[in-house]
Amino acid sequence: TGYADKKVTEAEQKDKIKQTANETLKMNFGKFKDLNVNEEVFTKFVRSVERQVEFAALAKNSGVSLLGVRDVAQQLEAALMWNPSECRKKILEVLNFIDPSGRAPRQYSLPAKGALPQMDTRAFIDQGNWLITTIYQYLAFTDDYGILDEKCGYYKIVGKNQVEKVDVTDSVFCHLTRITDYLIKNIDEQTHCLKALYGDWNDALDGLGVSENPDEEYGNGVSVMATLQLYGNLQEMLQIIEKAGDRNNQAARYERALNELKTGLETYAVEKKGTERKILHGWGDKRSYKVGSFCDVDGKSRDGLAANAYWAISGAYLWDTSIKKDILAAYKRLDSKYGLKTFEPYFEKGTKGVGRIINLPKGTAENSATYIHAALFGIWSLFEMGEGQLAWKQLEKVLPLTHKLITTTPFVMSNSYSYNEELGLDGESMSDWFTGSANVLIKTLTREVFGIRPDLNGLNITPSAYMPFESANVSVCVKGRIVKVNYNNKHIGNREITLNGKTVGAKRNEAKQNYEIYLRTNELFEVNIIDITD
């Protein structure tokens, strides 16, 4: 294969499998350097967060309301790494609540037999984005393509929060293509970006999609974050089609849509002022005002975190990596005592066109506070841009175990940290448990720190160039095989990577400023031990 000698005795393989049989996702961290983090506490904390993720992924209700489609999908995307069988069932459950058009509701409930479910049918554009990515990740980790032929039903949206059961069932693959087609139909013809409709991931900023025409519910206001997500989704769908077959000639349409989004994002989503650039959060109907621009609807120059983060996470960063300096400049302006804020400056009461975010006091939730879910998107993006040291400094800020004041459960991820000295707020958290920050932490550690990134053809190992500890290890099941990554800093002055004791040829990844190896699925051993030494 060019990677390792496969002449391992059957007894040796069985012994290795026995040693790692119960290790699905287990991370351990050695002594930290330059960070106020205790390795033993952090290791236990991460395991506790895994339980938090699994609880939120597989729950029958959210404790306070219905089950959020995007919320469940994101938690599943992490939990499938150690509990794929239950996550498979939950994926099928969620897909049964999709409208036949491919539109996903915002929230759903599990109805009693013969009853209709309670649903929140508001047209948040991004719900389907998360479903596509979750199913792609499930396929990448499990190679279980049988899920694509599983049959699921639909609920037709017939009014505000009203649905009816329809006598239509088809495959998961068909559900995926309906979801994708719905999103493509909502690409704005003028700017070639994805319409916001009711809103995107940032629920509080729910004003961009409103139409200036009182006879129309939605205009052509855009969410840049959701556009970037769709850009990634189309790449995921093209890979799925390559594996599953182009059953309805979608590939050509998806390629065209992919190119259309790239054109729209490059043309409209990046605003220039002299030598500076800003990645917009989005804009309102007919592009009559912007959010996250040099001059927003309230006349202020503002930075938004989520779109900047997803510029890197989606791969748009690779179009022109010089934009990194502009993203880092935005992050510097967004930085605070408790980490990256979702917006800076805050939205004052009375600001037009941005939605209910103006009802949140300054320094709380998404209104110029550290909304941890978004902060972790930013941390994830820093790793993607090769800024591991900055990423860890930001991660240190959002971990509850580094805080003097903890107002929520101390052994799981919190929702947000408030900071407003005028109101006497300094680190209080809104909530915990059912929060997306948990799953993003686990995904970031697995994919970005240890670099375990499977796709549909194999496994990419791209560990972060910067490691803030003397040693660490992770074990996870990928495509039915055990993958163990061991890191040790022996101060040898360069990085060495071995697979099952054999040196492998690592390729330089300039965008991430690190080294990577790629193992095709047929090159994977039953147990793959990757040792990384600095």
Side-chain angles (χ1 to χ4, degrees):
T1 65
Y3 287 103
D5 183 357
K6 289 209 171 194
K7 293 179 181 178
V8 180
T9 68
E10 187 176 347
E12 286 174 327
Q13 284 285 22
K14 285 183 177 179
D15 184 54
K16 287 178 181 176
I17 294 169
K18 185 177 179 181
Q19 291 175 23
T20 57
N22 295 320
E23 296 183 20
T24 51
L25 181 65
K26 187 179 292 184
M27 292 182 244
N28 297 284
F29 297 88
K31 185 174 178 60
F32 278 81
K33 56 184 182 183
D34 305 325
L35 294 175
N36 182 31
V37 178
N38 177 281
E39 63 276 9
E40 185 178 353
V41 173
F42 185 65
T43 296
K44 290 180 178 179
F45 177 77
V46 169
R47 290 178 186 170
S48 181
V49 173
E50 287 177 26
R51 302 285 76 77
Q52 178 187 7
V53 169
E54 185 172 42
F55 173 67
L58 303 178
K60 293 182 179 180
N61 63 69
S62 68
V64 294
S65 64
L66 311 179
L67 288 166
V69 169
R70 82 159 75 98
D71 304 324
V72 171
Q74 288 183 81
Q75 304 288 7
L76 288 171
E77 191 188 342
L80 62 83
M81 287 188 277
W82 65 88
N83 193 347
S85 59
E86 291 302 313
C87 289
R88 186 187 202 272
K89 295 175 187 175
K90 197 71 173 181
I91 289 170
L92 298 177
E93 174 190 294
V94 178
L95 289 179
N96 274 289
F97 293 90
I98 304 300
D99 183 88
S101 68
R103 173 180 161 187
R106 179 173 179 261
Q107 294 178 321
Y108 70 98
S109 65
L110 300 177
K113 189 174 181 180
L116 290 172
Q118 287 183 284
M119 304 259 273
D120 178 346
T121 61
R122 286 176 291 176
F124 281 89
I125 191 62
D126 68 310
Q127 306 297 325
N129 295 124
W130 301 103
L131 286 171
I132 295 168
T133 293
T134 296
I135 294 170
Y136 174 85
Q137 290 295 333
Y138 175 82
L139 294 172
F141 270 95
T142 67
D143 262 5
D144 173 20
Y145 290 94
I147 193 175
L148 295 177
D149 293 316
E150 293 279 4
K151 294 291 190 287
C152 296
Y154 298 93
Y155 280 98
K156 184 174 178 60
I157 297 171
V158 294
K160 183 180 179 181
N161 298 339
Q162 293 181 316
V163 296
E164 62 182 29
K165 187 69 177 170
V166 293
D167 190 23
V168 177
T169 59
D170 57 24
S171 67
V172 168
F173 181 84
C174 287
H175 276 64
L176 278 172
T177 57
R178 289 186 192 227
I179 291 167
T180 307
D181 291 346
Y182 172 78
L183 292 166
I184 289 174
K185 286 175 184 174
N186 278 289
I187 295 175
D188 174 41
E189 292 180 0
Q190 276 72 50
T191 61
H192 312 291
C193 291
L194 189 60
K195 296 175 186 176
L197 301 187
Y198 199 96
D200 62 9
W201 168 85
N202 192 333
D203 288 344
L205 200 81
D206 56 2
L208 293 178
V210 175
S211 175
E212 292 181 346
N213 183 344
D215 297 326
E216 295 178 349
E217 189 173 10
Y218 302 118
N220 66 346
V222 156
S223 163
V224 171
M225 177 181 174
T227 305
L228 290 162
Q229 287 181 281
L230 181 55
Y231 179 79
N233 293 148
L234 290 169
Q235 295 175 79
E236 293 163 343
M237 286 300 297
L238 287 167
Q239 288 186 48
I240 291 172
I241 287 170
E242 186 179 352
K243 283 287 184 183
D246 196 355
R247 305 181 188 186
N248 294 300
N249 299 313
Q250 284 104 341
R253 287 194 301 108
Y254 293 174
E255 286 279 9
R256 287 195 298 270
L258 191 68
N259 293 329
E260 182 181 0
L261 291 176
K262 183 174 185 291
T263 298
L265 287 162
E266 288 182 316
T267 306
Y268 296 101
V270 181
E271 187 176 64
K272 298 178 182 178
K273 184 179 180 182
T275 59
E276 295 180 75
R277 290 175 289 185
K278 281 196 178 190
I279 297 170
L280 305 179
H281 178 90
W283 50 85
D285 195 21
K286 298 180 177 62
R287 207 169 157 83
S288 55
Y289 64 94
K290 304 166 189 173
V291 170
S293 70
F294 288 104
C295 185
D296 274 11
V297 65
D298 55 2
K300 296 179 181 178
S301 178
R302 180 173 282 108
D303 293 290
L305 177 55
N308 276 281
Y310 262 83
W311 199 270
I313 293 168
S314 70
Y317 166 67
L318 300 176
W319 303 338
D320 175 10
T321 56
S322 72
I323 202 167
K324 173 178 169 179
K325 63 178 174 52
D326 301 289
I327 296 175
L328 293 180
Y331 286 0
K332 189 173 182 179
R333 293 187 291 266
L334 289 163
D335 199 9
S336 72
K337 179 178 181 179
Y338 296 108
L340 297 172
K341 300 178 183 179
T342 306
F343 285 106
E344 178 62 30
Y346 78 107
F347 294 95
E348 294 185 50
K349 200 86 171 172
T351 304
K352 304 295 184 184
V354 294
R356 70 173 179 85
I357 196 168
I358 62 174
N359 298 321
L360 297 169
K362 174 187 175 182
T364 65
E366 298 99 330
N367 200 9
S368 196
T370 300
Y371 198 79
I372 307 168
H373 197 164
L376 277 155
F377 289 152
I379 291 164
W380 182 355
S381 74
L382 285 168
F383 281 113
E384 282 291 317
M385 296 184 292
E387 295 289 338
Q389 190 165 6
L390 277 175
W392 272 101
K393 284 292 184 183
Q394 288 296 328
L395 185 55
E396 179 184 16
K397 289 186 177 185
V398 301
L399 294 172
L401 56 91
T402 66
H403 291 206
K404 292 181 180 179
L405 172 69
I406 301 175
T407 60
T408 48
T409 312
F411 53 85
V412 297
M413 287 301 293
S414 301
N415 169 276
S416 60
Y417 300 120
S418 299
Y419 187 68
N420 184 327
E421 291 180 302
E422 295 172 9
L423 298 178
L425 300 173
D426 189 356
E428 289 84 355
S429 303
M430 281 175 52
S431 61
D432 53 22
W433 285 99
F434 284 95
T435 177
S437 58
N439 78 80
V440 188
L441 174 64
I442 299 302
K443 291 185 295 194
T444 299
L445 292 173
T446 307
R447 298 181 195 176
E448 300 295 340
V449 176
F450 291 105
I452 299 173
R453 301 162 66 95
D455 61 24
L456 303 195
N457 296 311
L459 172 63
N460 196 304
I461 304 291
T462 316
S464 174
Y466 173 77
M467 298 289 199
F469 30 68
E470 291 297 321
S471 63
N473 61 72
V474 64
S475 176
V476 65
C477 185
V478 179
K479 302 180 188 298
R481 285 87 159 180
I482 295 297
V483 174
K484 295 192 74 174
V485 177
N486 303 314
Y487 171 78
N488 283 282
N489 189 343
K490 295 184 178 179
H491 308 283
I492 61 176
N494 62 288
R495 175 158 288 184
E496 294 180 352
I497 303 177
T498 64
L499 171 61
N500 290 353
K502 302 288 184 179
T503 301
V504 298
K507 179 183 175 183
R508 176 74 174 172
N509 184 321
E510 292 299 334
K512 298 184 71 170
Q513 297 292 297
N514 60 4
Y515 288 90
E516 61 186 0
I517 63 172
Y518 188 80
L519 302 167
R520 298 191 69 81
T521 301
N522 63 4
E523 295 171 336
L524 291 170
F525 295 87
E526 291 301 310
V527 177
N528 304 269
I529 301 175
I530 296 109
D531 288 299
I532 302 161
T533 307
D534 283 343

